[in-house]
Amino acid sequence: MGADKQDDKIFRHLVRSGIPIAYRPAIWAEVSGASEIREPGLYQELLNRHAGESSPCLEQIDMDTHRTFPTNVFFAGSGPGVAKLRRVLIAYSWRDPAIGYCQGMNLLAALLLLVYPDEEDAFWMLASVLERTLPSDYFSSQLLVSQADQRVLQDLIQLALPDLYNHLEDLGTDLPAITFGWFLSLFTDALPIQTLLRVWDVLLVYGPISLFNRIAIAIFKIHSAEIFATDSASNFYVLLTNLTSHLYSADKLLKVSRPSLC
């Protein structure tokens, strides 16, 4: 038992340092449970079984696949990733008709397709993230869990960074206007890819609380000086969007959040 705990501690330390690119697909599949839930052949069966059928999700999927990661050559225009992304999302909508498709899922699937060349592998990773990593009903039509997370984050910022919280209150900012997108997309629409992959390493090992609360608060800590310098809510929104899109130091981000990653 002691050896197992020590091994787990070493593994978690290595994860915080970043999973090597060559090992990331296999490790993600293992720690997320994707390897366990995988049913060989089911992905193609779902696509074949429902080929030509109409679905209330199809129109939204078609719109979103063509505006996902537009600056990435894999997905831009008629890049090879567009058709793969569409198939993965359609297959999942048939796997779980209760959820079907929700905006934000396209970004998760797109990131996974950048890690997994085989779209079936990406499909099972998406299924595992939605069904095992995230809280149940996270992508339900009401998005109640996501909205609750926003209230929790605001409370935590008030406790951890009271002066910053008061400054944002004085500016009249609506924090969820920024952070709701962070959480719903698991930061795929906020962070550069190099940092994003490191954050997902942590997400899949430590769970969503680490991502949603610790990482988010770390971003505010790192950029507190710039945030204090803002003098309006609109300037704050522009600033934070620009800061996160240029947050290239994953080591710094994870180091700041590390006291909570035990």
Side-chain angles (χ1 to χ4, degrees), residues 32 37 92 95-96 99 123-137:
S32 70
I37 67 171
Y92 192 80
R95 172 177 169 82
D96 189 350
I99 293 179
F123 169 80
W124 286 113
M125 269 300 303
L126 178 65
S128 185
V129 169
L130 295 177
E131 297 165 15
R132 293 194 166 200
T133 303
L134 295 175
S136 60
D137 298 327

Side-chain angles (χ1 to χ4, degrees), residues 53-153:
E53 292 185 27
S54 61
S55 163
C57 304
L58 288 180
E59 184 177 351
Q60 190 64 55
I61 288 174
D62 283 336
M63 285 193 295
D64 288 350
T65 52
H66 288 285
R67 57 191 183 196
T68 301
F69 293 171
T71 60
N72 187 297
V73 66
F74 189 61
F75 294 104
S78 57
V82 176
K84 286 187 174 185
L85 177 60
R86 184 179 186 274
R87 286 193 294 270
V88 168
L89 294 174
I90 288 174
Y92 192 80
S93 74
W94 289 119
R95 172 177 169 82
D96 189 350
I99 293 179
Y101 172 75
C102 178
Q103 285 182 291
M105 289 168 59
N106 59 310
L107 296 170
L108 310 188
L111 174 66
L112 293 169
L113 283 167
L114 293 176
V115 176
Y116 294 91
D118 186 324
E119 63 191 76
E120 184 173 4
D121 293 337
F123 169 80
W124 286 113
M125 269 300 303
L126 178 65
S128 185
V129 169
L130 295 177
E131 297 165 15
R132 293 194 166 200
T133 303
L134 295 175
S136 60
D137 298 327
Y138 194 78
F139 278 97
S140 66
S141 57
Q142 295 82 18
L143 298 175
L144 296 179
V145 176
S146 305
Q147 294 178 43
D149 280 337
Q150 298 304 302
R151 293 193 291 271
V152 172
L153 178 62

Side-chain angles (χ1 to χ4, degrees), residues 7-8 65 69 87 97 106 119 125 132 140 142 144 155 158 183 196 221 223 228 252 256:
D7 289 345
D8 183 64
T65 52
F69 293 171
R87 286 193 294 270
N106 59 310
E119 63 191 76
M125 269 300 303
R132 293 194 166 200
S140 66
Q142 295 82 18
L144 296 179
D155 290 343
Q158 187 174 15
F183 287 13
L196 179 62
K221 285 182 178 179
H223 297 301
F228 275 120
K252 183 176 182 179
V256 172

Side-chain angles (χ1 to χ4, degrees), residues 30-41:
E30 189 63 31
V31 298
S32 70
S35 297
E36 183 178 346
I37 67 171
R38 186 185 183 105
E39 299 178 51

